[in-house]
Each structure stands twice: as structure tokens, then as C-alpha cells.
Amino acid sequence: MAEETAIFAGGCFWCMVKPFETVDGINKVVSGYTGGHVPNPTYEQVCSHTTGHTEAVKIWFDPEVMSYDKLVQIYWQQTDPTDAMGQFQDRGDSYRPVIFVKDETQRQIAEASKKALAESGRFDAPIVTQIEDAKPFYPAEDYHQDFYKKNPLRYAMQESGGREAFIDKKWKTATKTSKTTD
């Protein structure tokens, strides 16, 4: 089995695991840090906004079951692509929305998807999610992994910070449509 990887940043990494992990074709999702200049950063270092790192998830997937294009579509539906300064209640550069691409194929897919989203009219503001070259990915501490399973109450509190309501408002019809056409 050929396995591929993808890296997405969309605010708190706790909230980015479940939407991917619960989809067929995803083999593993790991919370971590990427995009910065400090090797093996800690959560406290990343929170200090001095490392350049962004909270992100790295996804291992089977491209014969789940395409990269479909992963990008799932990603858009977890974020507010018009907010460059964080996501929902999570503010600052460590929560900025970024698609980290590992090669030119991923870049072309991400750029085309971003352009299509911008032209769709779904959002009144510009799509500001960045598309950047992948940099080393550092897994977060163990207590951050599978957070929604280990700490369901705290996870629910984090989700209630606006992400869930935003997804319902902006993506509910898209989600229903994609499920009926797949």
C-alpha cells in the first residue's frame, strides 16, 4: 500500500484531528508543530509566539481510498479561510490557517482548490489561507494526541468557541451535497 502525507494548520490542533481521523482512507493523524525555526519545540514554546511554528496536523492517508483533493475539501470545511490571524477563539500566528504542501502536485491541487473556493461566492471576504512548502513536522506532546477521545469535555468546550457554529452556517449545505454525490 502506497501511503501519502498531508499537513494542515487550522487553529487548535485538537479540533483538527477528529474530522480527518473519522474518514475512510486516513491511516493516522498526529497533532504537532511546523513552519517555524526552533527544532523540537514544546507546547509552551509555541504558545510564546517566538518559534514561528503553527499548530498543525499531519495526516497519513491511502491515496487509493482518499485523494489529496478530497483532504483539502475536508480541510476547508473545518476552518474560516478568511481569517489570517487565527481561527475562532484561538488567536495569533500559531493558529493561522495554512496548507503545507510537500511537492508541486499538492501545491497545484491546493492552489486550484483555493481559487475555486474564492470564486464560489461562499465567502464575502478574501480567502487568506496560506499555501506554503512543508517544513519539518514535530509531533506534539502525548497529552495532545487524540485529545477529543482523552478529554471529551474539554474538547467540547474548545469546539463551542465558534468553530462548530461556523461550520454549520458556512458548510452544512456543502457537506450534505458532497455526501450525496460521493
Side-chain angles (χ1 to χ4, degrees):
M1 168 181 85
E3 189 172 60
E4 293 285 331
T5 60
I7 300 174
F8 300 110
C12 175
F13 48 31
W14 295 343
C15 299
M16 294 295 292
V17 174
K18 185 178 180 182
F20 291 103
E21 192 173 72
T22 55
V23 177
D24 287 341
I26 306 297
N27 300 328
K28 182 167 70 168
V29 181
V30 173
S31 296
Y33 317 108
T34 191
H37 58 273
V38 174
N40 298 305
T42 65
Y43 181 67
E44 289 73 22
Q45 287 175 311
V46 173
C47 288
S48 75
H49 303 284
T50 60
T51 66
H53 284 292
T54 301
E55 287 191 15
V57 290
K58 185 169 186 176
I59 301 163
W60 285 260
F61 65 100
D62 178 348
E64 295 194 18
V65 178
M66 172 60 63
S67 69
Y68 182 74
D69 181 59
K70 182 68 173 171
L71 284 176
V72 172
Q73 296 306 315
I74 294 169
Y75 168 76
W76 291 127
Q77 295 181 27
Q78 309 313 311
T79 66
D80 177 353
T82 67
D83 186 353
M85 297 311 299
Q87 292 290 286
F88 313 105
Q89 77 274 18
D90 299 312
R91 311 310 303 156
D93 59 341
S94 62
Y95 298 114
R96 65 193 182 96
V98 183
I99 299 173
F100 290 98
V101 296
K102 69 175 191 164
D103 58 28
E104 192 55 33
T105 300
Q106 284 190 356
R107 178 174 295 285
Q108 289 174 1
I109 291 168
E111 293 283 1
S113 181
K114 180 178 177 178
K115 183 176 188 252
L117 182 60
E119 293 172 351
S120 73
R122 182 176 295 275
F123 295 95
D124 296 331
I127 305 302
V128 296
T129 299
Q130 296 297 302
I131 298 171
E132 300 178 7
D133 290 338
K135 293 189 170 121
F137 180 89
Y138 302 99
E141 297 81 351
D142 286 344
Y143 70 94
H144 290 298
Q145 306 304 330
D146 295 318
F147 194 84
Y148 76 98
K149 293 176 187 172
K150 294 177 187 173
N151 296 286
L153 181 59
R154 182 117 183 256
Y155 172 76
M157 289 171 53
Q158 182 72 16
E159 279 286 274
S160 69
R163 185 183 300 263
E164 192 172 9
F166 182 86
I167 291 168
D168 284 347
K169 179 180 178 187
K170 288 293 186 179
W171 292 108
K172 201 169 195 172
T173 57
T175 303
K176 284 182 179 177
T177 302
S178 69
K179 286 183 180 175
T180 58
T181 60
D182 288 346

